Amino acid sequence: MGTIVCKDCQKVVEHYPAEKVTTLYGKCSNCKSK
């Protein structure tokens, strides 16, 4: 299972199916709007 984490606030944005445990960094909608 993969996880997308907000690189600003460290909140989990979403989970997606993946072969191994993976963490990607993105931005949540909260931090995008700032």
Side-chain angles (χ1 to χ4, degrees):
M1 162 128 63
T3 311
I4 301 174
V5 178
C6 178
K7 64 177 180 234
D8 291 346
C9 69
Q10 304 301 305
K11 191 173 134 248
V12 174
V13 181
E14 74 179 279
H15 295 283
Y16 61 92
E19 302 241 337
K20 49 187 191 234
V21 177
T22 322
T23 303
L24 292 178
Y25 286 89
K27 281 204 168 200
C28 68
S29 51
N30 236 6
C31 292
K32 267 186 201 159
S33 60
K34 282 184 189 161

